[in-house]
Amino acid sequence: MAHALVSPTAAAYASGRDIGRTLESARSRVEERFLEGGTVLLSVMDVLNRLLNSLEGVTAALDNGEQSDTGADLRATVESLTALPLTEENRQQALVSLAQTGRDLRKYVSDMQETMRYLRTFAVTVKITGAGLAEFAGFAQEILERIYSGTDEVNRFAAHLDSLDKEVKLAAAFGASVSKGYADTVPAVAAALRDDAAKIAEHRKHLGVVAREVGAIARGVQSKVASTLSALQIGDITRQRIEHVQATLSLLEEFFAGEEGAKLDAGARKRLQNVIHHLTAAQMSDMCVNFQRESENVVTTIASFDHDMREILKLRDQMSGASGESGSNFMRALESSVSAAHEIVRQVDTASRQADQVSQSTIGTAAKLSEAIANIRAVKTDIHYMALNTNLRCSRLGEEGRSINVVTAELRIFAGKLDESADAIVTGLPALEAAAGRVAPATDAGAGLGESLTSAVGNIRSAADMMEKELKVLAENGREVATKIGLLIGKLDFQRDLGEVFARCADVLDEAAGTEVADISDLAEAIAPLDRKIFKHYTMVQERNIHRDIIPACAESAAAPASAEPAKIENDEDLFADALF
């Protein structure tokens, strides 16, 4: 029954207390190592959550770009820009038409100015001819003053037309320059914007795909971290099983020191110690096998993080434009072409303001011309009636008034010519106003285009700023995740230290036990209290099975209800599920 001679090492550990100290060292190390590993894993989980949050920020930036529909803004701008040359050509034609209408009116004004010169000549002739006649002296002066007044009205009329002509020429010259600029720049800028709109959509689509890929990998790593955290239960299970071995050895010491143990002779005590050493060695060996298997799975899972993180960093670099693109966000490059389009819009606004000024000035001039025509007609009427009265007086004077009568008759004839020119001008004024309306259409595309471009530039800049900010956060979180995982791989290499320590403890217990298990069947009743105390410590079915393989249940224990014994665990997952403590 006695076991074989033990080695010197086993003899050194003959005391359960000494073996317990060795086990306590192992237990402390596993507790420290797994606590440290769990802390690092939790920190990795935290930074992974931040990485996923930053990905959500990138996705939000992309969604914001979709909502602002910068691409649609640019496409609408392209359509408006493409229409500018035709719009400016129509405006140029309207200016030409306005200039021609002004020139047509100018001809009638020249006729009126010529007529007024003739009227002044006739009025002076009347004054000279009637110098000897007292009753004509005041009349001649009055009619001359009316002709001077009419001449001033006609000259003001001419000045208005001259001013209008200068404005039209200035607007036409500027418009011609703008029109040439449009021909040189609009097609290229419109094409660039059209290309940029397509690139925005393509770039946004690419970023969305990469963001989803990064998110999928990050969530995969997150899932692995979660499963690794769960698998770290092997550390707590191992710690508990070491404590159970320690408790078994302590209970044996207490039993020997107690009343029941004192009843045993030296041989019985030695046989019981042998069985307990075999029991603890078997528990420790089984624990080592489980620890080896589960910790290898943990380390394998953690090692796979490295590849995942390299993929995340590679995709992150693609998103931030570090792989072949310029270092800045892609959308930033769009601002140059949009700014060029904005310069064109500035020219459109300037041309539109000038055209509007010409239009308003023309409408104002038309109103002044209408007023001037009314004054000229009044002068003509006064001259006509004054000349008619002179004719009547001259008829009464007979031969003495004949010469004055001839001159005043000519005065009436030329005064009538003012009506002909005035009628032509009045007929031409609506055409002048219509031409002015065509110069500055009621709805000018330039204003809307400017607002659209301003909005597009703002949206692009805002999207670029947001994207750069979110990608920067993503890059920082990506680097932190990689660093944390590198640290984790180094800290959770359990086999390097713990596996060796556990195997050494198992060897010590095995050597202390020897090669054969002593027969203690005759001590079953005496050791029953010790058996129950040891058995009560177990939290795993596997521990109980090992125990009963070495120390069969006594009659009292066997009589316990079968329901108290959990069902046999068939696999590792059930084993972990059973090890809830």
Side-chain angles (χ1 to χ4, degrees), residues 514-528:
T515 57
E516 296 181 9
V517 181
D519 182 5
I520 57 170
S521 56
D522 59 319
L523 303 178
E525 186 176 348
I527 68 168

Side-chain angles (χ1 to χ4, degrees), residues 408-434:
T408 54
E410 290 293 328
L411 198 64
R412 287 172 57 199
I413 293 171
F414 276 94
K417 288 184 178 182
L418 286 176
D419 260 344
E420 296 175 8
S421 299
D423 289 341
I425 289 173
V426 169
T427 302
L429 285 180
L432 188 74
E433 291 177 334

Side-chain angles (χ1 to χ4, degrees), residues 322-362:
S323 55
E325 293 266 325
S326 62
S328 182
N329 185 287
F330 172 80
M331 283 190 288
R332 187 70 71 193
L334 299 176
E335 290 191 342
S336 59
S337 56
V338 174
S339 296
H342 219 289
E343 176 59 24
I344 292 175
V345 172
R346 189 189 62 78
Q347 296 175 2
V348 170
D349 289 341
T350 302
S352 296
R353 283 195 298 272
Q354 278 204 331
D356 186 64
Q357 181 179 346
V358 169
S359 177
Q360 295 300 321
S361 179
T362 301

Side-chain angles (χ1 to χ4, degrees), residues 7-70:
S7 67
T9 303
Y13 283 92
S15 168
R17 188 175 292 107
D18 291 338
I19 296 173
R21 281 197 292 268
T22 303
L23 291 172
E24 176 60 22
S25 174
R27 188 199 65 78
S28 298
R29 294 182 71 174
V30 72
E31 187 173 37
E32 179 183 354
R33 177 62 65 84
F34 275 84
L35 180 62
E36 185 178 24
T39 302
V40 175
L41 271 175
L42 288 173
S43 68
V44 170
M45 182 68 83
D46 177 65
V47 76
L48 275 172
N49 289 335
R50 280 188 273 129
L51 178 67
L52 288 171
N53 287 337
S54 64
L55 276 173
E56 289 177 4
V58 172
T59 303
L62 292 172
D63 290 342
N64 183 64
E66 291 287 354
Q67 291 169 7
S68 66
D69 205 359
T70 306

Side-chain angles (χ1 to χ4, degrees), residues 522-539:
D522 59 319
L523 303 178
E525 186 176 348
I527 68 168
L530 173 63
D531 177 58
R532 286 194 296 272
K533 287 181 180 179
I534 293 173
F535 200 83
K536 188 177 180 181
H537 275 83
Y538 299 139
T539 54

Side-chain angles (χ1 to χ4, degrees), residues 15 27 32 86 121 126-127 137 183 217 319 334 341 494 523 579:
S15 168
R27 188 199 65 78
E32 179 183 354
L86 179 60
T121 301
V126 168
K127 188 173 183 180
I217 296 174
M319 294 187 74
L334 299 176
F494 306 114
L523 303 178

Side-chain angles (χ1 to χ4, degrees), residues 115 118-120 122-123 126 139 143 147 379-395 404-420:
T115 300
Y118 279 115
L119 288 174
R120 283 199 306 274
F122 289 134
V126 168
F139 163 72
I143 198 169
I147 290 172
V379 169
K380 168 259 175 186
T381 301
D382 288 347
I383 293 172
H384 176 79
Y385 283 114
M386 289 172 71
L388 181 60
N389 288 335
T390 301
N391 286 144
L392 293 174
R393 290 183 183 185
C394 288
S395 296
I404 296 175
N405 200 14
V406 171
V407 177
T408 54
E410 290 293 328
L411 198 64
R412 287 172 57 199
I413 293 171
F414 276 94
K417 288 184 178 182
L418 286 176
D419 260 344
E420 296 175 8

Side-chain angles (χ1 to χ4, degrees), residues 206-228:
H206 172 69
L207 284 179
V209 170
V210 176
R212 285 191 293 274
E213 290 179 6
V214 173
I217 296 174
R219 288 183 182 88
V221 176
Q222 193 178 45
S223 177
K224 289 180 181 180
V225 170
S227 65
T228 304

